């Protein structure tokens, strides 16, 4: 099919395509992979066997681009709203539970009183 002469799929070229085009290309690549696997079983040429890896990687590239664009559109949709768990920043569990900078900077009433009563003394040091 068409995918046979396409060669290696480039990610930057895929990104410009629409969702339907990507789906079509994915189907073509999958059918080509099926044909190559049949050729492998029936004892096809070495060139066909070496192409299996290339086609699998191309399928992975197309799927990756599709997933990335879908996630980007979802992020745009949820902008300003509460994000679903899979769109939130991953980091680590400990970092996610850490106090925010605003919470860290807060002082207790007692500390405020102490700071007011005993301000830091300024000393003039001769050079």
């Amino acid at each position: 099919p068409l995918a046979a002469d396409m060669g290696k799929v480039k990610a930057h070229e895929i990104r410009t395509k629409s969702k339907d085009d990507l789906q079509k290309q994915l189907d073509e690549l999958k059918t080509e992979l099926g044909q190559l696997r049949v050729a492998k079983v029936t004892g096809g040429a070495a060139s066909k066997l070496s192409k299996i890896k290339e086609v699998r990687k191309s399928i992975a590239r197309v799927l990756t681009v599709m997933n990335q664009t879908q996630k980007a559109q979802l992020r745009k949709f949820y902008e300003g709203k509460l994000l679903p768990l899979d769109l939130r920043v991953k980091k680590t569990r400990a970092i996610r539970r850490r106090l925010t900078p605003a919470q860290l900077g807060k002082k207790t009433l007692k500390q405020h009183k102490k700071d007011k009563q005993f301000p830091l003394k300024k000393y003039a040091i001769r050079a």
Side-chain angles (χ1 to χ4, degrees):
L2 263 158
D5 0 307
M6 273 199 286
K8 194 171 170 189
V9 177
K10 302 243 186 322
H12 67 91
E13 292 169 2
I14 305 172
R15 289 188 198 283
T16 57
K17 294 185 177 181
S18 68
K19 191 178 178 183
D20 297 330
D21 291 342
L22 286 175
Q23 193 61 51
K24 197 169 137 191
Q25 187 172 11
L26 185 66
D27 294 336
E28 287 173 2
L29 285 166
K30 283 186 175 180
T31 53
E32 185 182 354
L33 183 63
Q35 291 167 356
L36 290 171
R37 284 192 173 141
V38 168
K40 181 182 174 185
V41 172
T42 56
S47 60
K48 278 193 173 183
L49 297 182
S50 62
K51 199 156 191 243
I52 290 176
K53 181 181 177 184
E54 199 177 297
V55 174
R56 284 179 61 231
K57 301 292 178 187
S58 296
I59 290 172
R61 276 189 204 96
V62 172
L63 285 171
T64 300
V65 169
M66 284 173 75
N67 288 330
Q68 284 176 345
T69 50
Q70 184 185 25
K71 214 159 209 185
Q73 287 169 345
L74 279 170
R75 279 186 200 284
K76 207 177 283 179
F77 175 75
Y78 280 106
E79 211 169 304
K81 302 174 202 164
L82 189 68
L83 283 175
L85 292 177
D86 62 335
L87 294 180
R88 291 183 195 169
V89 181
K90 181 83 171 103
K91 296 190 177 173
T92 63
R93 194 168 188 267
I95 291 174
R96 289 196 304 267
R97 276 151 185 74
R98 200 184 285 169
L99 291 176
T100 63
Q103 291 169 332
L104 278 169
K106 286 200 168 184
K107 290 182 180 178
T108 61
L109 185 63
K110 187 174 183 176
Q111 188 62 47
H112 271 294
K113 286 179 182 174
K114 222 185 252 186
D115 290 347
K116 203 168 198 169
Q117 290 296 321
F118 307 103
L120 271 177
K121 291 190 171 97
K122 292 176 186 165
Y123 296 101
I125 300 170
R126 273 188 300 180

